[in-house]
Amino acid sequence: MKKKSILFTLTAVLLAVAMLLSYESSAFVRAEGLADSRSSEELRETAAAIMADTAPDLGITAKAAILMEADTGTVIYEKNATERLSPASITKVMTLILIFDAIESGQITLQDEVTTSAYAKSMGGSQVFLEEGEKQTVETLIKCIVVASGNDASVAMAEYICGSEAEFVNRMNERAAGLGMTETHFEDCCGLTESATHLTSAKDVALMSRELITKYPQIHDYSSIWMENIVHVTEKGSSEFGLANTNKLLKQYEYCNGLKTGSTSIAKYCLSATATKDGISLIAVVMAAPDYKVRFSEAKAMLT
């Protein structure tokens, strides 16, 4: 059987949502073929049947996945979407939300210079090798976080905004609660932690990704960068460092414009991918994929 297209599925899901909204806003249901006297429960069953019948068979092998339409938050496809899993560096999506919140409120600007602490320098994993005392602008650190997934840059920004990573993480959890991310608990700002209680879900990742790209669409100016150099200026002198985007889907799918990758031995391979085609913006989240290639191929399968 030929696989149903995402566009066909999206149309059917939006029809189902429209049916529910129509019922809730009126005493009568005016959808063709439905009697006005149908109960709410019957209508919900009908909507669910439409969505089940049109759900695409994508053969996703990752432990959890979800496809969401960004403008409305409509879920088009899901697999174990509320299962709590380790997010690795996809954690940084929330870090970026708080950074842009601080910019929007006037607390910080893109031109502010941030001084790297010894603690920020000490971060392992993905990093851009900031030195203690090194200064970089907020905008440069955003690029380091989005493009190169810099853990050191994430901590430097957390400390700059809140004074400490611990306080920044408190704000991350508060922001997550405000977005209805019921399966999420953050314990660091970069996802490097191996804590068994630093968890989220594919659905929650989609929710925070949607918040980031709809409230701060300028994020795509950074997440679509493939390669760019930054300059380290330290006591040792000046040196260039190349940022290379960890999101290889940018080169594998022409409509992809973000967003964030993540991988650790615990989380396996994760991705929150965004794409816009024909005026429709989609968010595809893959969590705990078996290898790095699968996370990209399965995100692409959902997006196309």
Side-chain angles (χ1 to χ4, degrees):
M1 180 181 291
K2 186 178 181 180
K3 290 183 179 179
K4 301 179 181 70
S5 71
I6 291 299
L7 181 59
F8 175 79
T9 303
L10 177 58
T11 301
V13 171
L14 291 176
L15 171 62
V17 171
M19 288 166 58
L20 289 172
L21 291 176
S22 175
Y23 182 88
E24 292 172 358
S25 63
S26 172
F28 299 103
V29 180
R30 298 184 176 85
E32 183 177 355
L34 293 177
D36 289 350
S37 59
R38 278 200 173 180
S39 67
S40 175
E41 183 60 30
E42 288 176 319
L43 185 57
R44 289 180 187 279
E45 289 177 1
T46 300
I50 290 174
M51 289 188 283
D53 185 59
T54 56
D57 178 14
L58 301 175
I60 300 297
T61 62
K63 193 168 187 180
I66 193 168
L67 179 65
M68 178 181 287
E69 195 277 321
D71 288 340
T72 64
T74 301
V75 174
I76 303 166
Y77 171 87
E78 60 183 308
K79 174 187 175 183
N80 301 327
T82 58
E83 182 172 348
R84 303 186 82 194
L85 297 167
S86 176
S89 284
I90 293 181
T91 298
K92 296 182 176 85
V93 172
M94 182 56 74
T95 297
L96 289 163
I97 290 174
L98 292 191
I99 291 171
F100 281 97
D101 282 349
I103 293 171
E104 183 183 55
S105 70
Q107 179 186 351
I108 65 174
T109 72
L110 289 172
Q111 291 72 42
D112 286 359
E113 289 194 332
V114 179
T115 302
T116 305
S117 70
Y119 176 62
K121 177 191 181 302
S122 73
M123 293 296 106
S126 300
Q127 55 187 301
V128 294
F129 301 98
L130 298 172
E131 291 291 335
E132 181 181 357
E134 178 180 347
K135 294 182 179 180
Q136 293 287 355
T137 66
V138 166
E139 184 166 39
T140 296
L141 292 176
I142 288 173
K143 293 176 182 179
C144 292
I145 295 168
V146 179
V147 178
S149 197
N151 296 323
D152 44 2
S154 298
V155 173
M157 283 303 308
E159 292 178 330
Y160 184 65
I161 291 171
C162 289
S164 70
E165 183 185 20
E167 180 54 33
F168 188 85
V169 171
N170 287 337
R171 288 199 194 178
M172 290 172 68
N173 285 314
E174 290 173 0
R175 195 70 161 83
L179 291 175
M181 297 168 59
T182 57
E183 310 303 329
T184 297
H185 176 72
F186 295 119
E187 293 195 4
D188 75 4
C189 69
C190 60
L192 184 62
T193 179
E194 295 184 351
S195 171
T197 54
H198 181 91
L199 300 168
T200 188
S201 67
K203 181 179 179 181
D204 283 1
V205 171
L207 288 174
M208 67 176 176
S209 298
R210 179 183 181 229
E211 175 74 357
L212 180 59
I213 69 172
T214 58
K215 188 169 185 179
Y216 304 115
Q218 64 267 37
I219 187 63
H220 290 311
D221 295 338
Y222 305 104
S223 64
S224 60
I225 294 171
W226 182 240
M227 298 185 74
E228 186 169 315
N229 288 343
I230 65 169
V231 178
H232 289 297
V233 180
T234 67
E235 294 178 351
K236 301 174 185 178
S238 299
S239 62
E240 285 195 346
F241 179 82
L243 304 179
N245 205 309
T246 58
N247 183 10
K248 307 311 177 187
L249 194 60
L250 288 171
K251 291 296 186 180
Q252 297 173 15
Y253 182 53
E254 62 181 315
Y255 301 105
C256 180
N257 51 19
L259 182 63
K260 192 70 200 74
T261 61
S263 63
T264 64
S265 59
I266 296 174
K268 296 186 181 178
Y269 295 90
C270 306
L271 173 66
S272 178
T274 59
T276 300
K277 180 182 179 182
D278 298 330
I280 299 175
S281 295
L282 299 174
I283 301 163
V285 178
V286 175
M287 299 192 73
D291 63 58
Y292 77 96
K293 290 183 179 179
V294 168
R295 67 177 168 186
F296 297 125
S297 64
E298 295 193 346
K300 183 179 179 180
M302 286 191 284
L303 291 169
T304 56

